Amino acid sequence: MSGASNKITDDELNALILRLGTLLPQLNHGRHGRASSSTTKILKETCSYVRRLQKEVDDLSERLSQCLDSMDISSSDAEFLTNLLQQ
Amino acid sequence: MNNPHHLNPTSLKSRFTTRFLRALTKIRAQKPISSSSPTEIFRRYRRIKVAADKSMAYSVRSRRIWSRAMLWKLRSRSYRRQDPCSGRRSGKTNQAIMKKSSNENTTTRREDGVGFVEEADELRQLVPGGETMNLCNLLDETAHYIKCLTTQVQLFSPIGKG
């Protein structure tokens, strides 16, 4: 990274923004030709994507806690083991 | 969604899974016999959420600013619960962590034609430790944070579908 100077060059910035853009699912749909979604758009998409992911983890945690509550202990074990084995 | 950016599958994923399973076993062991009060359920949900975050942060260790920030947050929370005095010590550690990430930070907020300061600030709120990052770090950390979050989601998503 640009450790030596305090300023970020435009090129570095663009490279980082582009990389971020490739991680975003919404932007990747049907926009392959376009080299540049604007930086602002990418940042906005990133924010909403991060929020979505965090919320998903929240919801899944909640589901998991309900699972532990209502299900047999052994079957939630099995679910995880299956999951783990599939990785 | 395809996955062209997967981290080394034998390390992050399996480290995370191992830790999380361990934490889950502990949580299950604490489960009271009659546990359907909403408070209990909420508390367990919180514990699971914290366990997931912790497992992820520990699996990444301190290689990332966001994981360091998250670990610090988690530790200081548990210290505060047990012993109010140690909270002060963690404060010092945090300053050291923050200093490390912010010494390139002098021109973070220039507005000379860079029109996305607001969005960058918004992102800073979302990524752990983001408030101290310069733009370069912020973008880098965000990319890694997103990868880790998607790993978490992928691992969790079969839950409850059985």
Side-chain angles (χ1 to χ4, degrees):
Chain A
M1 287 295 137
S2 53
S5 68
N6 286 333
K7 294 222 207 119
I8 307 165
T9 68
D10 277 348
D11 281 341
E12 285 173 343
L13 195 54
N14 282 331
L16 287 171
I17 297 277
L18 274 179
R19 178 170 71 142
L20 214 46
T22 63
L23 293 175
L24 305 174
Q26 299 93 315
L27 289 185
N28 279 337
H29 284 326
R31 288 221 185 209
H32 297 294
R34 285 252 235 144
S36 58
S37 297
S38 78
T39 302
T40 320
K41 186 159 201 298
I42 290 186
L43 283 179
K44 277 206 174 115
E45 289 293 334
T46 307
C47 287
S48 61
Y49 188 45
V50 169
R51 275 204 204 96
R52 215 184 73 195
L53 287 174
Q54 289 173 335
K55 179 158 198 312
E56 245 181 287
V57 173
D58 266 359
D59 290 344
L60 289 169
S61 303
E62 191 167 351
R63 248 199 289 172
L64 181 53
S65 74
Q66 287 168 3
C67 263
L68 289 185
D69 192 38
S70 62
M71 281 171 80
D72 234 29
I73 296 192
S74 56
S75 50
S76 84
D77 252 342
E79 203 163 4
F80 257 113
L81 288 179
T82 315
N83 204 11
L84 177 58
L85 290 172
Q86 280 170 357
Q87 298 311 321
Chain B
M1 171 175 121
N2 58 356
N3 189 13
H5 303 279
H6 63 81
L7 304 151
N8 184 351
T10 59
S11 65
L12 181 74
K13 258 187 195 169
S14 57
R15 283 204 307 264
F16 171 65
T17 314
T18 313
R19 277 179 215 275
F20 186 65
L21 282 179
R22 225 186 294 154
L24 213 56
T25 315
K26 256 193 262 175
I27 292 175
R28 248 191 8 237
Q30 297 165 359
K31 172 179 162 169
I33 320 264
S34 61
S35 61
S36 29
S37 80
T39 328
E40 257 313 307
I41 294 184
F42 181 77
R43 224 181 276 158
R44 196 174 325 131
Y45 148 70
R46 284 305 305 170
R47 256 184 253 146
I48 289 179
K49 176 81 181 38
V50 166
D53 284 344
K54 223 183 209 177
S55 307
M56 183 54 77
Y58 272 109
S59 304
V60 175
R61 299 197 193 121
S62 30
R63 291 199 310 262
R64 285 278 159 181
I65 303 179
W66 71 262
S67 64
R68 291 200 290 268
M70 193 182 264
L71 288 175
W72 177 80
K73 230 186 292 181
L74 291 168
R75 281 190 192 126
S76 70
R77 189 196 296 156
S78 74
Y79 281 157
R80 250 182 281 137
R81 260 209 308 247
Q82 298 166 14
D83 175 12
C85 296
S86 356
R88 256 178 281 140
R89 240 182 312 159
S90 315
K92 244 197 229 158
T93 321
N94 182 46
Q95 278 171 33
I97 293 175
M98 300 311 192
K99 239 185 225 144
K100 223 201 293 190
S101 66
S102 68
N103 51 12
E104 300 129 40
N105 201 8
T106 50
T107 53
T108 310
R109 316 241 170 172
R110 13 169 242 214
E111 296 173 18
D112 45 349
V114 172
F116 47 81
V117 173
E118 261 185 46
E119 284 79 9
D121 282 348
E122 206 182 328
L123 193 53
R124 281 196 179 87
Q125 308 282 339
L126 291 173
V127 176
E131 310 84 16
T132 64
M133 297 180 199
N134 65 26
L135 189 54
C136 193
N137 282 335
L138 180 64
L139 297 175
D140 192 39
E141 295 285 315
T142 304
H144 189 263
Y145 185 51
I146 287 180
K147 284 182 206 168
C148 289
L149 283 177
T150 37
T151 306
Q152 264 186 322
V153 169
Q154 279 168 12
L155 284 176
F156 280 25
S157 51
I159 292 167
K161 295 205 182 134

